[in-house]
């Protein structure tokens, strides 16, 4: 998934199944997860966030919660892929809405500014390529207050040829060191304890920045890691994800592929998403999630993926056809040979055919019973 993300999902009581969402994070980002259940839903949902290893080692559990405290957050320790597992109690049906957003883990270090003021980013060339920029430059008027991005202890107040007037702040909550450089004035002393928002100095262009407009060079150094990119630590929070434009009323209902061919994708993206299955016209799909312009669906073969909402129609509202059964017909839960029937419809029963796949058709009787039946002949 691409963050920020929002989806409305559906759990079926007749299946023991969890949903899993994978997303990329940057070191220093706060990931906020919120899950709400529809009013009246009598189901408990368990949430587990994992860090995935690039070397295929077992996932590392980061944190867990359940619907007693279904909003929680954590700070990403590395640039990684994370996975959120959403698992309901067994034999319960319910609808939920999940949101995953990113927030900064530190306060912004220049008063009245935000990440739009960053004019030079991590890793760009310095000194004709002899070194790389180990921080970000935040441009502001000379004299703008530079503030503590975290609570901590001032460890150094110094002046150096490269950084000019500098201040070092030890972040006591996260065990990292924050570096403020090119200050016009330093307004703290070594050994001083500060809180978020306390003024440490004023924006300037001292040191090797004397030929540039006034700005703050802001750096973060982590134990055993050295300098890291500070931008994810202070970037603006994600806006609230857009509500699904697809119809949540189709959750738990069948739709049918309307196009000659359509792709079932691993993620709700028009480009770059891995194809789970190639679908043909009239394939029925059960809707288990609604996200932006896509449905998360379950294929009769068991695969789960996303399909563009424009590629399907409501199977119930627009059945393929109506027919009378020529003989007594068994209804089964899956379109597979050898599956025990759960019901039998008498001959001459009128049914609506909702879709077809692999020699089976999905039918609905006048009484509303839905199941799979082998195609005659």
């Amino acid at each position: 998934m691409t963050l920020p993300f929002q989806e409305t999902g559906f759990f079926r009581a007749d299946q023991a199944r969890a949903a899993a969402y994978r997303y990329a994070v940057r070191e220093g980002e706060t990931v906020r997860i919120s899950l709400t259940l529809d009013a009246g839903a009598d189901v408990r949902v368990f949430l587990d966030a994992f860090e995935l290893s690039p070397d295929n080692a077992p996932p590392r559990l980061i944190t867990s919660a359940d619907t007693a405290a279904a909003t929680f957050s954590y700070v990403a320790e590395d640039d990684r892929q994370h996975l959120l597992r959403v698992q309901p109690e067994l034999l319960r049906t319910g609808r939920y809405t999940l949101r995953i957003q990113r927030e900064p883990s530190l306060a912004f270090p220049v008063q009245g500014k935000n990440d739009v003021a960053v004019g030079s980013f991590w890793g760009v060339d310095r000194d004709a390529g002899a070194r790389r920029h180990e921080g970000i430059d935040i441009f502001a008027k000379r004299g703008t207050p530079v503030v503590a991005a975290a609570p901590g202890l001032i460890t150094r107040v110094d002046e150096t040829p490269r950084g000019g007037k500098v201040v070092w702040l030890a972040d006591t909550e996260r065990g990292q060191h924050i570096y403020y450089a090119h200050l016009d004035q330093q307004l703290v002393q070594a050994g001083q304890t500060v809180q978020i928002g306390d003024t440490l100095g004023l924006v300037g262009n001292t040191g090797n920045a004397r030929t540039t407009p006034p700005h703050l060079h802001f750096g973060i150094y982590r134990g055993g890691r050295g300098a890291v990119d500070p931008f994810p630590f202070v970037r603006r929070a994600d806006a609230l994800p857009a509500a699904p434009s697809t119809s949540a009323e189709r959750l738990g209902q069948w739709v049918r592929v309307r196009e000659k061919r359509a792709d079932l994708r691993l993620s709700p993206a028009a480009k770059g998403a891995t194809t789970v299955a190639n679908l043909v016209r009239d394939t029925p799909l059960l809707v288990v999630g609604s996200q932006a312009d896509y449905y998360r669906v379950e294929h009769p073969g068991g695969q789960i993926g996303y399909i563009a909402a424009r590629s399907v129609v409501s199977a119930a509202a627009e059945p393929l056809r109506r027919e009378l059964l020529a003989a007594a017909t068994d209804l089964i839960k899956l379109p597979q040979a050898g599956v025990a029937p759960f019901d039998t419809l008498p001959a001459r029963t009128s049914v609506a055919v909702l879709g077809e796949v692999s020699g089976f058709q999905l039918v609905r009787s006048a009484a509303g019973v839905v199941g799979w039946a082998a195609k005659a002949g």
Side-chain angles (χ1 to χ4, degrees):
M1 305 304 161
T2 299
L3 301 184
F5 174 81
Q6 176 171 295
E7 180 173 282
T8 300
F10 173 75
F11 295 124
R12 298 173 58 184
D14 61 342
Q15 289 190 350
R17 184 167 300 214
Y21 302 87
R22 183 164 55 89
Y23 47 93
V25 297
R26 298 285 314 280
E27 179 181 7
E29 291 177 333
T30 297
V31 181
R32 180 167 295 278
I33 294 168
S34 171
L35 183 137
T36 56
L37 296 171
D38 276 12
D42 183 21
V43 58
R44 191 175 182 186
V45 181
F46 304 92
L47 307 176
D48 301 288
F50 298 89
E51 180 185 89
L52 303 181
S53 172
D55 58 5
N56 293 322
R60 180 181 69 86
L61 179 65
I62 301 170
T63 188
S64 298
D66 60 35
T67 44
T71 297
F72 65 95
S73 62
Y74 63 89
V75 177
E77 295 298 325
D78 290 286
D79 293 357
R80 288 284 190 270
Q81 294 281 322
H82 285 191
L83 183 140
L84 179 72
R85 182 175 63 194
V86 181
Q87 184 171 346
E89 291 178 287
L90 296 178
L91 306 178
R92 297 295 182 93
T93 297
R95 283 171 37 165
Y96 65 89
T97 297
L98 173 71
R99 297 182 181 91
I100 308 175
Q101 299 165 264
R102 295 161 299 180
E103 300 174 352
S105 61
L106 297 177
F108 201 77
V110 177
Q111 189 175 92
K113 296 293 184 177
N114 58 35
D115 57 13
V116 174
V118 176
S120 181
F121 290 86
W122 168 268
V124 299
D125 285 347
R126 288 290 189 268
D127 296 338
R131 61 185 181 91
R132 299 280 183 170
H133 194 209
E134 292 189 344
I136 55 176
D137 289 343
I138 303 166
F139 288 81
K141 290 182 180 179
R142 184 184 305 279
T144 302
V146 169
V147 299
L153 177 71
I154 303 300
T155 57
R156 285 176 58 192
V157 177
D158 203 353
E159 187 163 0
T160 66
R162 181 179 292 175
K165 295 180 179 180
V166 304
V167 169
W168 284 87
L169 168 62
D171 179 350
T172 53
E173 288 188 351
R174 300 173 183 84
Q176 58 197 12
H177 295 270
I178 303 175
Y179 175 60
Y180 299 80
H182 307 317
L183 300 175
D184 189 64
Q185 294 183 47
Q186 300 142 307
L187 301 178
V188 288
Q189 296 179 346
Q192 183 176 339
T193 299
V194 296
Q195 300 300 320
I196 292 176
D198 287 350
T199 300
L200 308 184
L202 305 177
V203 169
N205 63 342
T206 57
N208 66 1
R210 59 186 176 274
T211 61
T212 69
H215 66 274
L216 170 70
H217 171 90
F218 182 72
I220 297 176
Y221 295 78
R222 311 194 77 185
R225 306 276 294 274
V228 298
D229 185 357
F231 187 76
F233 291 73
V234 297
R235 64 181 295 276
R236 280 174 295 172
D238 287 329
L240 184 68
S245 56
T246 51
S247 174
E249 296 305 314
R250 289 188 178 176
L251 288 172
Q253 298 184 7
W254 290 91
V255 294
R256 187 177 64 253
V257 176
R258 66 187 298 178
E259 301 172 342
K260 185 176 180 180
R261 294 192 179 277
D263 290 333
L264 185 64
R265 299 174 179 270
L266 193 60
S267 65
K271 295 181 179 179
T274 301
T275 297
V276 176
N278 301 118
L279 308 177
V280 297
R281 181 178 290 147
D282 298 334
T283 301
L285 304 162
L286 182 67
V287 178
V288 293
S290 177
Q291 193 275 330
D293 298 322
Y294 288 81
Y295 288 119
R296 182 161 53 89
V297 295
E298 182 178 344
H299 185 273
Q303 304 101 318
I304 290 181
Y306 288 87
I307 190 168
R310 66 177 182 274
S311 299
V312 298
V313 296
S314 169
E318 302 180 41
L320 274 176
R321 60 184 177 275
R322 299 182 184 277
E323 61 182 45
L324 292 176
L325 297 177
T329 301
D330 290 336
L331 293 185
I332 54 180
K333 292 289 188 181
L334 297 171
Q336 299 173 5
V339 176
F342 70 89
D343 198 0
T344 301
L345 299 180
R348 307 291 296 171
T349 298
S350 176
V351 296
V353 179
L354 306 183
E356 298 176 328
V357 64
S358 303
F360 291 86
Q361 57 186 21
L362 185 67
V363 301
R364 183 190 64 205
S365 70
V369 179
V370 176
W372 291 94
K375 294 177 68 173

